[in-house]
Amino acid sequence: MFKLFKPGDLVIFIICFFSIILIFINFYRVPSGSFISIENNNQTKEYSLSSKSVIELEGITIEINSGRVRVVKSSCKNQYCIMQGWISKLNQSILCLPNLTKISIKSNDNNITHDSTAY
Amino acid sequence: MFPKKLLKNYSSILVILLIFLVNSCAKSDFYEHKALVYGTVLEFKFYKTDAELSNKAIKQVINRLNTINKQFHPWKESEISEFNKNHQLKYTDDSFIKILSKAKYYENFTHSLFNPSIGKLINLWGFHADTIIGNIPSENKVNIILNSKPSLNQLLITKNTITTKNKELEIDLGGMIKGLSLDIANEIYEELGIDNVLTNFGGNILARGKPNNRYWEIAIQNPLDNKLLLAKLKLEPGMAIGTSGDYEKYFLKNGSRFSHLINPINGYPIKKYSSATVLITPQEDAGIKSDVLSKPVIFSNDLNKTRDDLNLDYFFVTTREKKILISESFLKKVEWLFEKDEFDVQTF
């Protein structure tokens, strides 16, 4: 029988596997400076990820709990925003167009790279 | 099991992969080095500079700073300690007078709010020690020193000696040595032809050149919590930044904080502000100015007047009540890093 995999393939697989894992870890790492930004009717408000609260805006109710955010209630027709469930990773977002609302997880930590610290 | 040909094929793929990996974590364009000189942390960050040349510069800088400390250290064995004891000194090197003249110039420029002649007062409060225990002096003792109006203008300098008649006068250049060291390092870089390096001496930073495609970027420590950052900004080539803060050297007694920043006018530690940060645009003495000019700012009674007096555009002060008072031009340059509403930011 022909061997489907040869020893060298294993090496390549291992390298690819770890590369993919590394990329994902880097991609989804939530930096400590992250916060929740809620844009509603051209107004943007920021909330701490660690807070625990229910925010009632016009037509939409948003819940923040242990580092996650979701839409609990919405006056929109399709309820896509509710179906999206929780988001908790950096740069994830929930859109609810009928309510002109965008909820996203942002970070200002991306900018905190600096060469030196003055004190 | 391992046909030679296959092995050959795979090994070439592996080699390519390895080259890719090595390249991706490629040799950085930056060369960083830390050192400690007389208790001050020196940090160098060279950009695209030959490592050997970088090390040569670092060595020369450290040598110079050791010499300066042997001349000016305010409480260890030094020429200035000898002067402070005897009020006269035979100095060994002309650089000694050059540095003293600089100090005198800035004392006059700041209307004595930077006063390098109040070493005795600083010692009285217990700050001339490696480990600060602190001591609250009697009003009488403070007044004796203040009434003698100590000033470097009271020095009599001849070809190889300095003397003074004011027995209360003791020299302490602690308020300008870090900044002076930055300017000296800058001279050394110039001599060696080093164009891009960021130098941080005990929290005072001087930017020389810039890395490709961007400016040097620095963060400013939160004066109320050294684990946090307050702000971030870009330093253009030649800019320097410095902060004086009550968190650097202080002692606590009866629930009060006593900072080493002693107001030369009233003889008492600063209470009004917890820190003052000044940004100096590219100019001669940028390093010294980044150090010295934070003193008239932190002791200021009127920030607008201080701005005009010093011809200083970029500075801010913070208070323990979490207020930041910042000049309008500086506000445009900084990016705050604290959580929203943690500090109340106002311009003047």
Side-chain angles (χ1 to χ4, degrees):
Chain A
M1 205 183 123
F2 288 106
K3 271 192 178 174
L4 207 55
F5 295 106
K6 290 159 188 149
D9 288 328
L10 192 67
V11 176
I12 307 269
F13 275 132
I14 290 172
I15 290 172
C16 291
F17 182 74
F18 281 107
S19 309
I20 289 167
I21 286 187
L22 270 177
I23 289 167
F24 269 83
I25 288 175
N26 263 323
F27 194 72
Y28 277 126
R29 204 166 40 104
V30 184
S32 54
S34 305
F35 58 90
I36 297 160
S37 138
I38 299 178
E39 291 166 49
N40 177 260
N41 283 326
N42 294 325
Q43 275 194 324
T44 306
K45 277 200 171 160
E46 288 167 8
Y47 299 87
S48 157
L49 256 174
S50 53
S51 63
K52 194 174 174 181
S53 54
V54 175
I55 300 146
E56 289 183 37
L57 300 167
E58 225 186 285
I60 191 162
T61 307
I62 295 154
E63 184 189 354
I64 303 174
N65 195 345
S66 45
R68 307 181 297 169
V69 212
R70 68 169 174 179
V71 177
V72 202
K73 242 189 245 166
S74 171
S75 62
C76 62
K77 216 172 160 190
N78 294 318
Q79 306 273 295
Y80 288 142
C81 50
I82 297 179
M83 280 187 260
Q84 250 200 289
W86 294 102
I87 57 166
S88 61
K89 308 274 188 282
L90 183 61
N91 297 329
Q92 282 185 325
S93 57
I94 301 174
L95 269 177
C96 185
L97 288 179
N99 283 313
L100 296 173
T101 302
K102 184 186 178 189
I103 306 156
S104 44
I105 299 182
K106 289 184 177 174
S107 162
N108 41 30
D109 230 33
N110 285 341
N111 308 321
I112 296 189
T113 50
H114 55 270
D115 297 296
S116 195
T117 305
Y119 49 91
Chain B
M1 174 122 175
F2 261 93
K4 256 189 181 166
K5 206 174 155 195
L6 257 181
L7 193 65
K8 228 175 168 181
N9 282 343
Y10 278 119
S11 55
S12 57
I13 292 175
L14 268 179
V15 166
I16 291 169
L17 266 171
L18 267 176
I19 289 172
F20 175 75
L21 274 175
V22 168
N23 245 328
S24 61
C25 38
K27 229 176 48 186
S28 163
D29 286 333
F30 296 98
Y31 177 75
E32 292 182 65
H33 188 88
K34 274 190 196 187
L36 197 67
V37 172
Y38 281 82
T40 299
V41 181
L42 317 182
E43 286 177 61
F44 304 85
K45 189 167 181 176
F46 295 89
Y47 174 71
K48 283 202 171 160
T49 309
D50 177 56
E52 215 172 292
L53 190 63
S54 307
N55 284 326
K56 194 173 165 190
I58 292 166
K59 222 172 149 187
Q60 286 191 19
V61 170
I62 291 175
N63 278 341
R64 280 297 301 278
L65 301 197
N66 277 326
T67 308
I68 288 178
N69 273 296
K70 275 177 201 141
Q71 291 173 323
F72 289 103
H73 200 286
W75 68 87
K76 293 199 170 117
E77 201 185 315
S78 71
E79 289 184 57
I80 225 62
S81 297
E82 200 191 318
F83 169 82
N84 289 343
K85 229 187 312 175
N86 309 323
H87 296 99
Q88 58 177 0
L89 172 79
K90 257 193 172 163
Y91 59 88
T92 47
D93 196 282
D94 280 346
S95 69
F96 184 86
I97 292 302
K98 235 173 118 185
I99 291 169
L100 268 188
S101 313
K102 271 253 148 89
K104 189 165 124 182
Y105 171 81
Y106 283 104
E107 184 198 319
N108 293 327
F109 182 69
T110 59
H111 302 288
S112 299
L113 285 173
F114 159 68
N115 190 340
S117 312
I118 55 164
K120 194 167 182 182
L121 192 58
I122 293 167
N123 191 18
L124 198 59
W125 282 93
F127 288 109
H128 278 175
D130 290 325
T131 326
I132 294 155
I133 300 157
N135 165 54
I136 302 174
S138 72
E139 215 169 294
N140 190 32
K141 277 186 173 168
V142 170
N143 284 336
I144 289 174
I145 299 173
L146 291 185
N147 290 338
S148 79
K149 297 198 163 43
S151 159
L152 290 190
N153 297 317
Q154 296 163 339
L155 289 182
L156 206 74
I157 301 170
T158 67
K159 230 178 171 185
N160 48 21
T161 63
I162 56 166
T163 49
T164 183
K165 283 180 184 157
N166 184 354
K167 300 290 180 226
E168 304 302 321
L169 190 162
E170 289 185 17
I171 299 172
D172 177 350
L173 297 192
M176 74 171 244
I177 286 292
K178 285 189 286 184
L180 172 79
S181 305
L182 285 175
D183 288 331
I184 286 170
N186 203 35
E187 278 168 28
I188 290 170
Y189 302 143
E190 181 82 49
E191 281 164 24
L192 296 176
I194 294 172
D195 296 326
N196 302 301
V197 52
L198 189 71
T199 319
N200 184 338
F201 290 168
N204 285 50
I205 301 176
L206 178 77
R208 181 174 172 85
K210 65 187 186 70
N212 236 356
N213 305 326
R214 67 173 181 97
Y215 288 125
W216 290 111
E217 288 186 44
I218 62 117
I220 301 166
Q221 186 185 295
N222 185 325
L224 305 182
D225 183 346
N226 61 13
K227 290 186 286 300
L228 296 177
L229 298 174
L230 186 75
K232 203 184 114 167
L233 74 143
K234 295 181 170 69
L235 290 187
E236 289 161 30
M239 279 187 167
I241 190 163
T243 299
S244 282
D246 65 4
Y247 50 86
E248 281 176 279
K249 285 182 185 171
Y250 65 92
F251 64 88
L252 298 167
K253 244 184 203 148
N254 314 327
S256 270
R257 176 186 291 260
F258 295 91
S259 157
H260 77 298
L261 296 160
I262 311 265
N263 188 333
I265 307 296
N266 64 24
Y268 281 80
I270 177 72
K271 275 261 178 287
K272 195 172 172 188
Y273 300 129
S274 56
S275 78
T277 298
V278 299
L279 174 73
I280 309 295
T281 51
Q283 58 187 283
E284 214 195 321
D285 283 354
I288 289 193
K289 284 188 170 175
S290 77
D291 200 359
V292 160
L293 297 190
S294 60
K295 279 76 186 179
V297 170
I298 206 162
F299 299 130
S300 170
N301 289 320
D302 178 346
L303 294 172
N304 280 308
K305 189 173 177 293
T306 303
R307 173 177 50 202
D308 298 340
D309 284 352
L310 302 176
N311 195 14
L312 189 66
D313 282 331
Y314 304 103
F315 63 103
F316 70 80
V317 291
T318 65
T319 70
R320 296 231 146 238
E321 291 73 42
K322 299 199 165 185
K323 216 185 207 183
I324 297 176
L325 298 165
I326 183 165
S327 65
E328 265 173 39
S329 7
F330 205 175
L331 185 65
K332 288 178 197 143
K333 280 197 180 285
V334 293
E335 188 187 316
W336 301 118
L337 297 177
F338 48 80
E339 297 238 338
K340 262 205 156 172
D341 302 328
E342 206 207 322
F343 281 89
D344 173 21
V345 180
Q346 292 174 14
T347 54
F348 55 83

